[in-house]
């Protein structure tokens, strides 16, 4: 609300409302309120990091082993090509970023993210070119260095808040990276050996693998909630997809038919969700919870009565083989992680790209987002709100079903009771942490997969950090995101609200 001085005639004075030529508009007398959440949250985390990484650190050296290449010659050639390409990409993106800032224009969101990704790839390619086999980091020095950097970043965030300026996105990203580095060094250095070490390639590869069903589940949530339907039934869609993939692949002897049947099974669960919640206006959260319990009980009953009685003909689906992409799979560190995947792994990449482009760069996506934000307005321009919701919920179920096939066609070659293990709820948390954005949900799922894989690794190396702490980390991060400590997190305005055409 602008406060302008009124003249006796009730008109604002011209000298107080119109800026002089060539000068910038004056700031409003009532400055915009800026939340203290980011400053306080980062400050508390920085203090915690100082206690853990600095005061509670030890004098050991943390080692991070680099995975050995299958073909050293091919790996070396791929590393050089990747190094050159990443260097050129990082330089161009940095120039583009600086040019936009210098001209005073708006910097597109993808430019900073792409620049950071190019720099990370550049660093990993450099490790491959130099053929570094192990990176050793002194725990005490790294701990105190990270603590000082985190305190400085938190102090800068508080300073910006005092100046009534918002905390920039880069600050939160830099804080997260520094905290992660310090946390990893602290965990590894706490191992039982005199010089504890872990395989960096194995850690990252396992994280991506564990994140596959989470990515599909979170994309299912994005597709549903972007049209205003809360999808709590992701857990049931994953579980029935896994069950259907195992049974159909075993009966037909074809794992690809099992993959298709998993998508159909997930869509069937979504069909029930759509009919009951959209057509009959039943509370969407209650329907989702009931479906999860129903699918869990149904698959457990069928497993105990049918699959256990004849596992050879009903529960031996086989596995989808890993496929290497030529040249890309030979890139050091990155290649084995990203480009030695099963068909489900590659479908994960395709699904993220398709959903993102579809939602934000097509007419269909514009209609979907309109239905999720303001269904009445969408209805007035001729969009069939409930039909759009039906279609998106069915698509979301099919996507989650494909994610469920990962459990029985990739991870293990048999179905077992409740083998999804609550990952549907973690996928829901990843969607919220990713702010209902396909790219954000994908990155959040990777982070949660990383936490899941690290949980088992710290047990192996004998780190004093309780594994239960890593198990709760995904949910703790979601609470932090929803609380607004890392930025504003707002669901679609009509999320969970049924629409009745009136």
């Amino acid at each position: 609300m602008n406060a302008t001085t009124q003249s006796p005639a009730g008109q604002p004075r011209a000298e107080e409302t119109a800026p002089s030529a060539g000068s910038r508009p004056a700031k409003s007398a009532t400055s915009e309120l800026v939340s203290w959440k980011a400053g306080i949250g980062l400050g508390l985390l920085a203090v915690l990091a100082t206690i853990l990484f600095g005061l509670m650190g030890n004098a050991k050296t943390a080692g991070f082993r680099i995975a050995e290449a299958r073909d050293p010659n091919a790996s070396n050639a791929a590393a050089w090509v990747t190094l050159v390409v990443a260097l050129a990409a990082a330089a161009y993106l940095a120039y583009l970023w600086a040019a936009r800032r210098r001209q005073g224009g708006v910097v597109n969101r993808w430019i900073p993210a792409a620049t950071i990704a190019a720099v990370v790839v550049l660093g990993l390619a450099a490790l491959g070119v130099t053929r570094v086999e192990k990176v050793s980091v002194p725990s005490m020095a790294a701990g105190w260095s990270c603590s000082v950097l985190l305190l400085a970043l938190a102090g800068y965030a508080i300073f910006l808040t005092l100046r009534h300026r918002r905390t920039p996105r880069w600050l939160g990203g830099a804080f997260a990276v520094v905290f992660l580095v310090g946390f990893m060094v602290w965990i590894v250095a706490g191992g039982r050996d005199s010089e504890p070490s872990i395989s960096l390639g194995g850690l990252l590869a396992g994280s991506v693998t564990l994140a596959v069903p989470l990515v599909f589940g979170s994309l299912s949530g994005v597709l549903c909630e972007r049209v205003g339907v809360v999808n709590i039934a992701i857990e049931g869609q994953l579980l029935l997809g896994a069950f259907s993939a195992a049974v159909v692949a075993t009966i037909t002897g074809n794992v690809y038919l099992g993959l298709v049947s998993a998508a159909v099974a997930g869509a069937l669960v979504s069909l029930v969700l759509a009919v009951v919640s959209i057509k009959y206006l039943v509370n969407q959260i209650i329907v989702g919870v009931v479906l999860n319990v129903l699918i869990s009980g149904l698959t457990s009953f069928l497993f105990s009565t049918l699959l256990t009685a004849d596992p050879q003909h009903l529960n031996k689906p086989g596995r989808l083989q890993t496929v290497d992409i030529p040249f890309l799979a030979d890139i050091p560190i990155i290649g084995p992680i990203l480009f030695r995947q099963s068909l489900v792994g590659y479908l994960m990449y395709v699904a993220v790209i398709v959903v993102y482009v579809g939602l934000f760069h097509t007419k269909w996506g514009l209609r979907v987002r309109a239905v999720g934000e303001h269904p009445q307005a969408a209805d007035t321009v001729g969009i069939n709100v409930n039909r759009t919701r039906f279609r998106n919920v069915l698509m979301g179920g099919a996507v989650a079903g494909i994610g469920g096939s990962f459990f029985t066609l990739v991870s293990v070659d048999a179905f077992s009771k409740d083998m999804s293990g609550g990952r549907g709820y973690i996928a829901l948390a990843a969607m919220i942490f990713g702010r209902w954005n396909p790219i954000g949900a994908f990155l959040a799922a990777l982070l949660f997969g990383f936490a899941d894989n690290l949980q088992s690794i710290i047990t192996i190396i004998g780190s004093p950090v309780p594994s239960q702490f890593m198990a709760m980390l995904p949910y703790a991060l979601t609470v932090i995101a929803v609380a607004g400590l890392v930025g504003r997190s707002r669901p679609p305005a009509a999320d969970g609200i049924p629409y009745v055409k009136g």
Side-chain angles (χ1 to χ4, degrees):
M1 180 176 181
N2 295 328
T4 57
T5 304
Q6 300 292 325
S7 65
Q11 300 295 328
R13 296 176 183 174
E15 64 270 15
E16 295 182 4
T17 57
S20 60
S23 65
R24 295 183 178 179
K27 291 184 179 180
S28 173
T30 56
S31 300
E32 182 183 0
L33 294 178
V34 178
S35 175
W36 278 87
K37 290 180 180 179
I40 294 175
L42 294 181
L44 292 175
L45 288 175
V47 172
L48 176 64
T50 303
I51 296 173
L52 294 179
F53 310 157
L55 299 178
M56 297 180 61
N58 56 61
K60 291 184 180 179
T61 298
F64 299 90
R65 301 189 304 276
I66 308 299
E68 296 183 0
R70 295 182 182 180
D71 187 345
N73 294 328
S75 179
N76 189 50
W80 276 107
V81 173
T82 305
L83 180 69
V84 173
V85 173
L87 180 61
Y92 174 73
L93 290 169
Y95 166 77
L96 192 62
W97 190 354
R100 294 283 179 88
R101 294 294 298 270
R102 199 164 46 243
Q103 295 171 1
V106 178
V107 179
N108 294 331
R109 292 182 178 181
W110 64 268
I111 294 179
T115 305
I116 295 172
V119 172
V120 171
V121 173
L122 179 63
L124 296 178
L127 291 176
V129 168
T130 55
R131 297 188 177 182
V132 174
E133 296 182 357
K134 182 179 179 180
V135 178
S136 298
V137 183
S139 175
M140 191 63 69
W144 280 111
S145 299
C146 290
S147 299
V148 171
L149 285 174
L150 292 173
L151 289 172
L153 290 172
Y156 183 57
I158 295 174
F159 170 76
L160 292 176
T161 306
L162 290 172
R163 296 291 299 272
H164 301 286
R165 294 165 58 186
R166 294 186 180 276
T167 304
R169 291 175 179 266
W170 67 262
L171 194 149
F175 190 95
V177 171
V178 175
F179 189 93
L180 179 62
V181 171
F183 184 69
M184 288 298 302
V185 173
W186 176 65
I187 281 183
V188 175
R192 66 173 68 92
D193 297 336
S194 58
E195 293 185 2
S197 64
I198 63 172
S199 172
L200 183 61
L203 173 63
L204 297 178
S207 302
V208 173
T209 301
L210 292 173
V212 170
L214 301 181
V215 172
F216 280 105
S218 62
L219 290 179
S220 173
V222 169
L223 286 170
C224 294
E225 300 208 11
R226 277 290 180 174
V227 290
V229 178
V230 177
N231 186 8
I232 302 294
I234 299 175
E235 177 75 8
Q237 293 161 355
L238 291 173
L239 190 58
L240 191 61
F243 177 85
S244 177
V247 174
V248 173
T250 305
I251 294 174
T252 62
N254 190 319
V255 290
Y256 300 105
L257 289 178
L259 182 62
V260 174
S261 69
V264 174
L268 288 176
V269 178
S270 282
L271 179 62
V272 178
L273 173 65
V275 170
V276 177
S277 63
I278 297 175
K279 183 175 177 59
Y280 296 105
L281 310 180
V282 179
N283 185 284
Q284 298 167 5
I285 297 177
I286 294 176
V287 175
V289 173
V290 169
L291 283 174
N292 287 337
V293 176
L294 174 64
I295 299 302
S296 176
L298 177 63
T299 53
S300 297
F301 170 74
L302 294 176
F303 173 78
S304 300
T305 57
L306 297 179
L307 272 61
T308 304
D310 191 6
Q312 193 64 34
H313 295 91
L314 292 175
N315 200 17
K316 291 292 182 180
R319 290 189 177 183
L320 288 167
Q321 299 299 318
T322 301
V323 179
D324 291 3
I325 297 181
F327 181 78
L328 296 178
D330 293 317
I331 299 175
I333 305 175
I334 307 172
I337 297 171
L338 299 180
F339 305 111
R340 287 177 184 164
Q341 293 284 343
S342 65
L343 176 60
V344 177
Y346 293 122
L347 285 176
M348 175 185 69
Y349 303 142
V350 174
V352 172
I353 296 172
V354 169
V355 173
Y356 176 78
V357 173
L359 280 179
F360 297 105
H361 298 281
T362 65
K363 184 185 296 184
W364 167 80
L366 182 61
R367 292 179 176 179
V368 165
R369 288 182 285 127
V371 169
E373 293 292 342
H374 203 306
Q376 290 84 1
D379 195 2
T380 58
V381 296
I383 300 175
N384 191 317
V385 174
N386 285 335
R387 182 185 299 171
T388 303
R389 288 184 169 183
F390 258 95
R391 290 174 178 174
N392 264 57
V393 172
L394 290 178
M395 283 190 292
V399 170
I402 294 174
S405 69
F406 169 86
F407 296 112
T408 49
L409 299 183
V410 179
S411 181
V412 295
D413 58 351
F415 179 82
S416 59
K417 285 185 179 181
D418 294 324
M419 67 185 309
S420 54
R423 287 178 177 83
Y425 300 106
I426 299 179
L428 192 65
M431 177 203 66
I432 297 172
F433 190 73
R435 301 179 184 179
W436 291 267
N437 183 292
I439 302 297
F442 171 70
L443 296 177
L446 291 180
L447 177 62
F448 293 172
F450 178 83
D452 192 9
N453 195 34
L454 192 60
Q455 177 183 351
S456 59
I457 289 179
I458 62 177
T459 303
I460 295 174
I461 66 175
S463 177
V465 180
S467 60
Q468 292 81 2
F469 173 80
M470 300 307 302
M472 77 173 189
L473 187 60
Y475 302 100
L477 292 175
T478 304
V479 172
I480 292 174
V482 174
L485 297 183
V486 292
R488 187 180 181 187
S489 182
R490 184 189 69 85
D495 194 18
I497 302 175
Y499 177 71
V500 180
K501 186 178 180 65

